[in-house]
Amino acid sequence: MSALGVAGGVLQAVVIVGGAPLLLGLMRQVRARLEGRAGPGVGQPWRDLRKLVRKQSISPRGTTEVFRVAPVLLVAMTLVVAVVAPLVTTASAVPPVADLFVVVALLAHATVVIALAGLDSGTAFGGMGASREVTVLALVEPTALVAIFALSVPTGSTSLPTIVGTALDDPQRLISPASLLAAVALAAVIVAETGRLPVDNPSTHLELTMIHEAMVLEYAGPDLALVELGSAMRLSVYLGLFTSLFVPWGIATTASPLALALGVVALAVKVGVVGAGLAALEVFLAKLRLFRVPELLAGSFLLALLAVTTAYVLG
């Protein structure tokens, strides 16, 4: 544990928790502008969270502790990833946890606890959303592992800080065929895991098409605020990891205040640009039928496998 890692972990936690709702507001604002609407403003998600926190928390009759602790676990697991992943700095606050397999497992477990909460609610829509979410999870997690593993082949390590540091030292690897294939595969994973179009529509409340929203329909008040914050944090963490792996410039390599400030600004700018681009793309996309989603995710898995094969052949 180094001073750079500790400073980076603290800054990353603050930036992700404070900036995740703003990223969500920015993406909604971009979509609104492209659709010819004024939009509610970038700060609206924070105002929504503040309103939810002031309301009463209600648990459906018959639910267990699984339903009540799921929002806390969602935020906690995502926060751990935000602290240990190389987002602002190339060092990690807890290096053993900043491993490819550990990070992907933590993000997957955050999805699982919400799916269990959906089942625990005992409603038809909760069970439907949970089954769909677990199906998507089973398809995207191998893709995430294989795509990032393709980047670890030249470094000989699955440590995310090592992968990012090697990319900074040798930028040509970022435009290699293996890296480009892995980027496309990981982009599909991010779209599916965060419930964005064309896999899921985050703004819909049509029950028969929902995936994520169907699992959290029974939440209210502070619990719903935690769920919304956790979902926004997951989106920010995924986009932060994507930019760190494929566009690592600006990330801090020393513990100087200037380097850390530059790392925070670079993370905010890169995630904001990627998020705005994703929101702009969603305007021109329609939601896929549920039975077509596996085809999309299977294609991304094949790209990830091709990336690993290319990395071994060219490496």
Side-chain angles (χ1 to χ4, degrees):
M1 183 182 298
S2 62
L4 178 62
V6 173
V10 173
L11 287 174
Q12 289 168 187
V14 173
V15 170
I16 293 299
V17 174
L22 298 179
L23 172 64
L24 203 59
L26 173 65
M27 296 177 68
R28 291 175 180 174
Q29 190 69 20
V30 169
R31 286 195 61 175
R33 293 293 183 180
L34 291 177
E35 292 171 354
R37 299 182 286 110
V42 175
Q44 185 61 42
W46 264 120
R47 293 190 287 270
D48 292 339
L49 293 177
R50 182 179 60 187
K51 180 177 65 176
L52 289 172
V53 168
R54 295 174 177 175
K55 293 186 175 182
Q56 181 182 1
S57 181
I58 301 175
S59 297
R61 183 178 302 174
T63 55
T64 66
E65 291 300 321
V66 173
F67 183 85
R68 287 178 278 276
V69 303
V72 178
L73 292 177
L74 170 64
V75 174
M77 291 181 182
T78 309
L79 185 60
V80 170
V81 176
V83 170
V84 303
L87 305 178
V88 172
T89 66
T90 54
S92 174
V94 190
V97 183
D99 184 84
L100 159 64
F101 298 99
V102 177
V103 167
V104 173
L106 284 171
L107 293 172
H109 276 75
T111 302
V112 170
V113 295
I114 291 297
L116 290 176
L119 291 173
D120 192 54
S121 66
T123 63
F125 290 127
M128 178 188 68
S131 64
R132 291 177 176 180
E133 185 75 6
V134 172
T135 300
V136 172
L137 177 66
L139 293 171
V140 300
E141 292 307 314
T143 304
L145 287 172
V146 175
I148 303 178
F149 184 75
L151 303 178
S152 71
V153 170
T155 66
S157 172
T158 57
S159 172
L160 293 177
T162 302
I163 296 173
V164 174
T166 303
L168 280 174
D169 296 334
D170 187 10
Q172 291 185 348
R173 290 181 178 178
L174 298 173
I175 57 174
S176 65
S179 180
L180 295 177
L181 289 170
V184 176
L186 192 58
V189 168
I190 294 173
V191 168
E193 273 284 77
T194 57
R196 312 299 303 189
L197 288 170
V199 176
D200 191 15
N201 188 350
S203 60
T204 185
H205 284 83
L206 182 61
E207 289 85 351
L208 295 179
T209 65
M210 290 188 296
I211 298 179
H212 174 75
E213 290 293 328
M215 298 184 296
V216 301
L217 282 175
E218 301 302 317
Y219 281 109
D223 291 335
L224 181 57
L226 285 176
V227 171
E228 295 295 336
L229 178 61
S231 299
M233 288 172 59
R234 281 172 59 83
L235 176 61
S236 299
V237 167
Y238 267 113
L239 294 183
L241 279 174
F242 184 84
T243 56
S244 293
L245 291 171
F246 300 103
V247 194
W249 296 285
I251 193 169
T253 56
T254 64
S256 66
L258 180 60
L260 292 174
L262 179 61
V264 171
V265 172
L267 175 65
V269 171
K270 290 186 293 186
V271 170
V273 170
V274 175
L278 179 61
L281 185 62
E282 288 180 345
V283 176
F284 305 98
L285 294 177
K287 185 181 180 301
L288 286 175
R289 294 180 61 189
L290 184 63
F291 297 110
R292 298 295 301 275
V293 171
E295 298 177 8
L296 172 66
L297 300 181
S300 66
F301 181 67
L302 290 177
L303 289 177
L305 285 179
L306 186 57
V308 172
T309 305
T310 305
Y312 274 110
V313 171
L314 299 181

